Amino acid sequence: QSALTQPRSVSGSPGQSVSISCTGTSSDVGTYNYVSWYQQHPGKAPKLMIYDVSKRPSGVPDRFSGSKSGNTASLTISGLQAEDETDYYCCSYAGSYTYVFGSGTKVTVL
Amino acid sequence: QVQLVESGGGVVQPGRPLGLFCAASGFSFSSYAMHWVRQAPGEGLEWVAVISDVGTNKYYADSVKGRFTISRDNSKSTLYLQMNSLRAEDTAVYYCARSVGYDSNGYWGRFDSWGQGTLLTVSS
């Protein structure tokens, strides 16, 4: 199972919006609405930010939103803040009780 | 609060075995499927294995199938990962994670809680 494809990096100025794409196949992202997104600061454990494509866990700011079209899911951060600068990973159910993660994207706040 | 604490990592020679542990607290451990996820140095996350709440169902990534075994002891609220025939490419931080939101499609749910990880280095 190959990793989902994410851009290596995206950047934006404070207050702007950035989007991170996550491209899979018809065997994972394209078939299941089970895409989640994780934020990971250096040396820390990942933190769940979005699940089931577009649902937000309690405590996650509504600046974070998710969507999906075909084989590509997206995470959008609106009103970018300095503390949003870190790594983000998508994850999809891949069938047969397994998962696949994305390659990871570093968000830089200019 | 939910707490997951991994241990057992270290330096091991290629081909040797090693076991990892994950001690859980703050929730009803026996009610949740549990996973191992790893991250090689400077790399992305890779799902490794899952075990169902009562331990009867286990599934693995192709990269570890036949070499790694996931297990649990619900009486001790502990998750295990027995790793055999270790390779250099198994070098990674290993996280245990809880999933919530299981459904009948075989989806175990999203990873809502993670430990801090334990580092395994496979090197001669």
Side-chain angles (χ1 to χ4, degrees), chain B residues 46 53 82:
Chain B
E46 179 187 14
D53 51 0
Q82 178 62 39

Side-chain angles (χ1 to χ4, degrees), chain A residues 5-80:
Chain A
T5 301
Q6 296 181 232
R8 197 164 187 86
S9 64
V10 299
S11 62
S13 299
Q16 289 187 330
S17 294
V18 296
S19 288
I20 303 169
S21 61
C22 169
T23 302
T25 69
S26 57
S27 297
D28 39 62
V29 176
T31 293
Y32 303 102
N33 289 323
Y34 297 137
V35 176
S36 52
W37 290 88
Y38 300 86
Q39 177 191 67
Q40 186 182 33
H41 288 281
K44 301 296 186 181
K47 175 187 175 183
L48 178 67
M49 303 301 285
I50 294 287
Y51 67 97
D52 294 355
V53 176
S54 60
K55 297 177 182 177
R56 231 179 5 259
S58 60
V60 172
D62 59 7
R63 304 184 290 103
F64 291 86
S65 62
S67 62
K68 191 188 88 166
S69 177
N71 294 340
T72 299
S74 297
L75 173 72
T76 298
I77 309 173
S78 305
L80 197 61

Side-chain angles (χ1 to χ4, degrees), chain B residues 13-97:
Chain B
Q13 293 180 330
R16 302 291 291 174
L18 192 72
L20 301 181
F21 307 83
C22 171
S25 60
F27 66 103
S28 179
F29 181 72
S30 61
S31 297
Y32 292 87
M34 296 295 297
H35 305 251
W36 288 99
V37 176
R38 68 183 180 182
Q39 185 170 34
E43 302 295 326
L45 300 167
E46 179 187 14
W47 177 81
V48 172
V50 59
I51 186 168
S52 60
D53 51 0
V54 296
T56 51
N57 298 307
K58 307 173 185 181
Y59 299 92
Y60 301 90
D62 288 344
S63 57
V64 307
K65 200 174 297 183
R67 299 188 300 122
F68 289 12
T69 300
I70 189 171
S71 61
R72 65 192 298 162
D73 185 337
N74 285 346
S75 69
K76 297 180 179 179
S77 296
T78 301
L79 177 71
Y80 305 98
L81 186 67
Q82 178 62 39
M83 304 177 291
N84 296 328
S85 304
L86 282 165
R87 307 166 179 168
E89 54 264 36
D90 295 318
T91 294
V93 172
Y94 284 74
Y95 296 99
C96 65

